[in-house]
Amino acid sequence: MNKFLMSTALTMALTLPAAAATVAEGDELAETQEYNFWLLDAIKTTDPQKNTDVEGSDVLRQIFEGLMNEDLQGGMIPGVASDYEMSEDGLTYTFTLRPEAKWSNGEPVTAKDFVYGWQRAVDPATASEYAWFIELMNVVNATEIVNGEAEPNTLGVTAIDDNTLEVKLTQPTAYFIKTLSHPTTFPVLQSVVEEHGDAWTQPGNLVGNGAYTLASHDLGVQITMEKNPEYWDAENVILDKLTGITVNDINVALTRYQSGELDRVDIPAGQYPRLKEESPDEAYSLPYACSYGYLVNMSDKGREELKDPNVRRALALGLDRDIIVEQVLQGGQRPSYNWTHWAMEGFEVPEIEMASMSQEDRTAEAKRLLEEAGFTSDNPLRLTLNYNTSEDHKKIAVVAQQMWKPLGVELTLNNMEWKVHTDRMQNQDFELARYAWCADYNEASTFLDYFRSTGSNYGEFNNAEYDALLDEAVTSENPNEQYTAAEEILAQELPIITIYHYAQVDMIKPYVKGLPLDNVMNSWYGKDMYITQH
Amino acid sequence: MFGFIIRRLAVAIPTLLLLIIFSFVLMHAAPGGPFTQEREVPAQVLANLEAKYGLNDPMWKQIADYVWGIVRHFDFGPSFVYPDRTVNQIIAQGFPITLTYGLLSFVLAAVVGVTLGAMAAIRQNTWLDYLAVGISIGAQVLPNFVMAPILVLIFTLTLGWLPGGGWSFQNADYWIMPVIALGTSYMASIARITRSSMLEVLSSNHIRTARAKGLPSRKIIMRHALKPALLPVISYLGPCFVSMITGSVVIDMYFSTGGIGKSFVDSALNRDYAVMMGVTILVGALTILFSLIVDIMYAWIDPKIRY
């Protein structure tokens, strides 16, 4: 690298095309451009810094816009930021904001609005449950502010001028750009928040900068959003109205889809094959960035028997995942022998020996390992599996119980209410626990960080080599090498017995266009969609 | 009677206070809290949240602050799970919905139930009696969680006449199925109680005397039979009315009405202490109020009852 480049910041200006609804050739637009989507439950808040839910994020992406958006494949494309530069050391990002970006009240969106939003997220006075997200992004002083050791205005984010935002990080962070479509990083207008207090998110008060404005919000009934004429790309937005309709029962939601009240719903477990056959152009199974498995308690409170890696291996080998996904779930999920979802961008699933074995061989090996550990049908290993109330969890648990029984494992199923289940996991009060993890951004570290010694990691898995690999990945040119190596450690140590990678199994009306079918994060934007004649 | 009402109202206040204390203590004894999530909230963030909502105070102070907030400003506090809503707002949105379909269901259940029961008793062992009993049994064996999907199948999917769910005060189409689904099983119970009570009264001595005196049947039934026959019905109607207007989880969930019944269950599952307390107090207060109204109606119907 020459001296000039060494002495000046390395410029990585990326000017990318911004997406908007593009009508495909031959598609004729319907007269009414309205999209009715399903919400399982009430939207808890329309405050970007206080939201914690996936469904809340779906709504927030319509009424606010961050620095970056996601395209139909999950790649990052410009949002309010038209481009950005990264310094050579990877510690400073400078974003250029669109001067044409406006709030729904007509005021321009400025760098100060992002600074305010980000500071608000970490400010203890806001009490945001997602304050940790700004810490995860490694923004300077985020942790100190959350801990009350520094003032919010010391956060490493600065408005250089109205259209230039500078972000300073504590360490190079490969996934930083991918975090910028997350609602926690959306801007909010300070004057509106200060004028209305907690009620600033109510319809009539809320001022957003997204392609839609909040028209009404009846808690637990429906939320409606209408096209925002002030949005910088409003002329390319085709859908006029978005309505999120709450239906608390997935089977009822399917009925309402069939009656034409909803344009998209999830398919109840086990019904995908039938619906695919009946309506092949409406039933979809899309990869979805979540993984499911049985977490092993490896803490001091855990069972001694489960600290033997061979016992954990036997349990992992003994589960016929193909039967679980093909016979129980029947929704296009994939059996998993590793933790990170297979469809995460850039991630290569490592070769795991167990994955290439036949189930017969796996079962025989499992039996051998358990016998070595002293467990047979006559002297069974007695374990308890905790799971929270859900028909699917119950079905899988019963199948696991039956699959492990011939190996000499007697599994007691312990069904409990959601909060009790979570509380027990967090207090390491379990032997095996049903668990699932969903990605916050489209990169493998969102899964792998969970098993760091300092991660959430309820089973208290602790491996120095694993931690070192993930530390190395942060500054690595190709972090997927470290991610693959880290997965190999998980496959050896098995702090979780993975079972399947999620799929989003949906019914979508054929006249709805522009929904992402190849984005593992399933993040959708009304501004990219349209309705055809039907 | 006036003294009785005053005494009952005076007892209501300590009753509600005890209800608050018991509910508060029980809620906090349940494992997990409002911020317990699959993804653990970092300790410092949790501390910030608890400080914001006063959850780090001793329990006696939390209860005292809560009661003081209600007494001073009728303020039931903020929801912990819906951070931009107060409990007052949640109840103000959900309760009118529940009240609307609850009241209509009650009227349906009471009017049709009493009419069916009375007709069945008057025309005992005729086709009318068999029909009324048949309808009652049919309605009884179809609880609302069975009735709701049947109604949707008929009126939404097959006929396309009514929306499958949701709520609108302006459009009565949204009310019809929740009212029928909630009202029918209560209607069946009322019909059965009315029928058996009416049969008992019709075979009593004073009715026989009235008949012997040659009083017209209509007069006997309306003036001498129906009123006493309604006493057990009224005992049933009091709690029935409270449970109808304080919400049905099944109706709220199946028809996504946004009513208060679902809020009650959600608040318990989410450990949303403030919402749960608010709804508990609402249900408690209404229960006390309507049991008093039932007692007053008793005295009106049967002047022999004295308080």
Side-chain angles (χ1 to χ4, degrees):
Chain A
M1 197 171 285
N2 67 36
K3 269 190 172 178
F4 175 77
L5 274 178
M6 288 295 283
S7 59
T8 54
L10 176 67
T11 302
M12 290 184 64
L14 299 177
T15 305
L16 301 159
T22 312
V23 181
E25 217 176 272
D27 277 353
E28 202 177 327
L29 290 177
E31 208 167 292
T32 307
Q33 289 295 321
E34 292 179 5
Y35 173 59
N36 301 311
F37 59 100
W38 174 55
L39 298 169
L40 176 64
D41 224 323
I43 294 293
K44 288 180 179 161
T45 178
T46 45
D47 185 327
Q49 276 81 44
K50 290 187 181 174
N51 171 64
T52 56
D53 289 354
V54 173
E55 290 186 325
S57 297
D58 286 342
V59 168
L60 285 165
R61 272 192 301 276
Q62 319 310 324
I63 52 181
F64 291 91
E65 187 172 61
L67 293 168
M68 307 295 282
N69 292 330
E70 289 169 47
D71 65 17
L72 294 176
Q73 286 72 40
M76 303 310 290
I77 54 170
V80 175
S82 55
D83 59 55
Y84 67 89
E85 294 171 6
M86 184 183 76
S87 65
E88 188 184 7
D89 60 7
L91 294 178
T92 305
Y93 284 79
T94 308
F95 296 89
T96 303
L97 310 191
R98 299 174 189 282
E100 68 272 28
K102 283 184 187 164
W103 291 99
S104 53
N105 65 0
E107 286 181 37
V109 177
T110 68
K112 281 181 194 157
D113 303 325
F114 281 91
V115 173
Y116 178 67
W118 291 27
Q119 286 179 353
R120 192 169 171 267
V122 287
D123 188 345
T126 311
S128 164
E129 287 180 63
Y130 256 57
W132 60 268
F133 195 77
I134 308 288
E135 294 182 71
L136 178 91
M137 293 161 69
N138 294 318
V139 179
V140 163
N141 265 350
T143 304
E144 289 77 1
I145 299 165
V146 170
N147 291 343
E149 295 156 4
E151 290 300 314
N153 61 13
T154 61
L155 187 71
V157 55
T158 313
I160 304 295
D161 58 44
D162 277 357
N163 298 110
T164 313
L165 181 78
E166 184 187 82
V167 181
K168 287 195 178 292
L169 306 183
T170 54
Q171 60 182 56
T173 305
Y175 55 79
F176 173 74
I177 290 297
K178 294 187 179 187
T179 62
L180 299 176
S181 61
H182 195 282
T184 306
T185 68
F186 289 171
V188 288
L189 196 52
Q190 185 170 4
S191 55
V192 175
V193 177
E194 288 177 352
E195 184 186 346
H196 299 288
D198 282 344
W200 79 271
T201 52
Q202 303 295 320
N205 297 343
L206 192 145
V207 174
N209 70 325
Y212 296 87
T213 56
L214 181 63
S216 70
H217 184 190
D218 296 325
L219 196 70
V221 182
Q222 67 176 34
I223 186 164
T224 50
M225 293 159 276
E226 287 167 1
K227 188 175 167 180
N228 174 13
E230 298 289 344
Y231 180 60
W232 65 270
D233 198 20
E235 64 184 57
N236 290 314
V237 175
I238 298 173
L239 280 184
D240 293 320
K241 189 176 172 189
L242 310 172
T243 306
I245 297 172
T246 307
V247 185
N248 302 125
D249 184 300
I250 191 168
N251 291 295
V252 180
L254 185 61
T255 308
R256 292 183 68 180
Y257 171 88
Q258 287 164 336
S259 73
E261 293 172 57
L262 290 164
D263 296 324
R264 179 183 186 172
V265 289
D266 282 12
I267 293 174
Q271 295 200 38
Y272 175 70
R274 175 181 69 82
L275 291 166
K276 185 71 186 167
E277 203 176 307
E278 286 172 10
S279 318
D281 59 339
E282 294 181 48
Y284 289 88
S285 175
L286 315 167
Y288 185 42
C290 302
S291 298
Y292 184 103
Y294 290 155
L295 197 62
V296 183
N297 186 357
M298 297 172 74
S299 74
D300 293 342
K301 289 187 190 171
R303 286 276 296 273
E304 277 309 309
E305 293 90 330
L306 289 173
K307 286 176 186 157
D308 179 351
N310 282 338
V311 170
R312 300 196 296 272
R313 173 163 301 280
L315 294 175
L317 285 161
L319 286 183
D320 189 338
R321 294 154 176 84
D322 293 323
I323 288 182
I324 292 173
V325 296
E326 286 163 18
Q327 308 297 325
V328 180
L329 298 167
Q330 298 183 309
Q333 295 85 352
R334 284 201 189 179
S336 74
Y337 302 89
N338 75 297
W339 178 229
T340 305
H341 192 284
W342 64 271
M344 298 307 284
E345 197 178 31
F347 175 69
E348 283 174 29
V349 180
E351 277 184 27
I352 294 167
E353 194 194 351
M354 195 189 302
S356 57
M357 292 164 71
S358 70
Q359 189 55 44
E360 248 177 18
D361 290 347
R362 286 187 204 128
T363 306
E365 175 69 357
K367 216 166 187 174
R368 188 187 69 76
L369 289 169
L370 281 170
E371 274 172 11
E372 262 182 26
F375 301 108
T376 59
S377 300
D378 297 332
N379 176 35
L381 168 62
R382 292 192 170 85
L383 293 173
T384 302
L385 169 71
N386 290 2
Y387 69 97
N388 57 295
T389 308
S390 144
E391 270 309 303
D392 286 358
H393 301 334
K394 186 178 174 182
K395 282 181 198 164
I396 296 170
V398 169
V399 168
Q401 190 183 42
Q402 296 308 311
M403 286 174 176
W404 282 342
K405 201 172 183 177
L407 306 178
V409 177
E410 269 185 22
L411 189 68
T412 303
L413 304 185
N414 200 1
N415 176 212
M416 52 193 75
E417 185 230 339
W418 168 239
K419 289 269 181 183
V420 179
H421 177 61
T422 312
D423 188 66
R424 293 220 176 149
M425 279 193 296
Q426 290 177 0
N427 289 300
Q428 286 72 49
D429 183 11
F430 68 99
E431 295 174 5
L432 294 171
R434 179 217 74 86
Y435 198 63
W437 185 261
C438 293
D440 284 309
Y441 50 89
N442 193 355
E443 213 236 10
S445 59
T446 191
F447 282 94
L448 293 164
D449 278 346
Y450 180 82
F451 284 108
R452 277 178 183 267
S453 312
T454 53
S456 292
N457 197 0
Y458 300 148
E460 297 201 345
F461 170 67
N462 191 334
N463 186 299
E465 195 189 341
Y466 183 86
D467 291 347
L469 275 168
L470 291 186
D471 286 342
E472 214 177 287
V474 174
T475 50
S476 169
E477 275 187 26
N478 179 15
N480 285 308
E481 282 176 17
Q482 282 83 20
Y483 296 154
T484 304
E487 279 285 359
E488 279 163 0
I489 293 177
L490 291 183
Q492 285 300 315
E493 294 294 323
L494 292 160
I496 188 164
I497 297 161
T498 54
I499 297 176
Y500 72 91
H501 292 308
Y502 277 49
Q504 176 78 35
V505 200
D506 281 345
M507 290 296 280
I508 302 173
K509 295 283 184 191
Y511 51 73
V512 176
K513 306 289 179 185
L515 275 169
L517 304 180
D518 299 312
N519 179 358
V520 69
M521 300 297 290
N522 272 263
S523 307
W524 60 269
Y525 295 82
K527 69 183 179 62
D528 300 338
M529 294 166 56
Y530 60 91
I531 305 291
T532 57
Q533 286 280 13
H534 56 277
Chain B
M1 179 56 111
F2 183 72
F4 165 74
I5 294 170
I6 297 296
R7 277 198 309 278
R8 284 285 294 265
L9 287 175
V11 170
I13 293 164
T15 307
L16 274 177
L17 199 62
L18 275 174
L19 179 73
I20 291 172
I21 294 168
F22 272 122
S23 309
F24 218 96
V25 172
L26 281 174
M27 268 182 337
H28 283 73
F35 310 113
T36 306
Q37 294 179 358
E38 190 154 32
R39 179 168 309 197
E40 193 172 16
V41 178
Q44 189 58 48
V45 173
L46 185 64
N48 294 340
L49 283 159
E50 289 185 339
K52 176 168 176 164
Y53 292 107
L55 292 172
N56 50 359
D57 290 332
M59 196 174 296
W60 67 265
K61 187 170 185 304
Q62 289 184 47
I63 297 175
D65 287 347
Y66 184 75
V67 174
W68 186 233
I70 298 171
V71 173
R72 270 187 80 190
H73 307 294
F74 206 67
D75 176 10
F76 289 80
S79 164
F80 302 154
V81 173
Y82 302 99
D84 40 13
R85 305 228 174 199
T86 63
V87 177
N88 292 31
Q89 286 171 330
I90 290 173
I91 292 176
Q93 187 201 303
F95 189 56
I97 295 170
T98 306
L99 193 64
T100 306
Y101 75 70
L103 272 174
L104 291 170
S105 304
F106 180 77
V107 171
L108 172 84
V111 172
V112 179
V114 168
T115 311
L116 268 183
M119 276 170 28
I122 295 161
R123 300 268 181 262
Q124 196 189 5
N125 296 328
T126 64
W127 67 269
L128 196 65
D129 183 21
Y130 300 142
L131 179 72
V133 171
I135 291 172
S136 304
I137 292 171
Q140 191 97 56
V141 297
L142 285 177
N144 48 23
F145 60 85
V146 178
M147 182 68 89
I150 291 174
L151 290 172
V152 170
L153 189 72
I154 297 169
F155 292 108
T156 305
L157 277 182
T158 309
L159 301 171
W161 290 351
L162 297 172
W167 185 261
S168 167
F169 283 107
Q170 288 77 38
N171 188 349
D173 286 354
Y174 288 93
W175 310 354
I176 296 170
M177 288 196 289
V179 166
I180 296 173
L182 181 61
T184 41
S185 62
Y186 288 103
M187 178 205 81
S189 301
I190 292 168
R192 279 179 46 246
I193 296 167
T194 309
R195 183 179 177 274
S196 53
S197 172
M198 192 80 174
L199 282 174
E200 201 181 318
V201 174
L202 286 175
S203 61
S204 64
N205 288 337
H206 77 279
I207 299 293
R208 268 204 297 271
T209 309
R211 286 195 202 282
K213 279 184 172 177
L215 277 177
S217 275
R218 177 185 288 250
K219 217 169 203 176
I220 293 170
I221 288 160
M222 298 307 287
R223 189 173 292 176
H224 300 286
L226 196 57
K227 223 172 154 187
L230 282 181
L231 273 179
V233 180
I234 285 169
S235 304
Y236 177 76
L237 287 183
C240 158
F241 183 73
V242 175
S243 68
M244 282 166 115
I245 63 161
T246 51
S248 157
V249 183
V250 173
I251 299 301
D252 287 341
M253 286 195 63
Y254 199 87
F255 295 106
S256 302
T257 55
I260 208 76
K262 172 111 189 339
S263 299
F264 198 14
V265 173
D266 280 353
S267 61
L269 294 175
N270 292 331
R271 309 288 191 270
D272 194 347
Y273 301 146
V275 174
M276 199 180 159
M277 288 304 304
V279 183
T280 303
I281 292 168
L282 177 75
V283 174
L286 287 172
T287 306
I288 291 168
L289 180 70
F290 284 101
S291 62
L292 175 64
I293 291 172
V294 166
D295 286 347
I296 294 167
M297 284 178 74
Y298 251 68
W300 171 70
I301 287 175
D302 186 356
K304 285 183 288 180
I305 297 171
R306 290 282 175 266
Y307 294 99

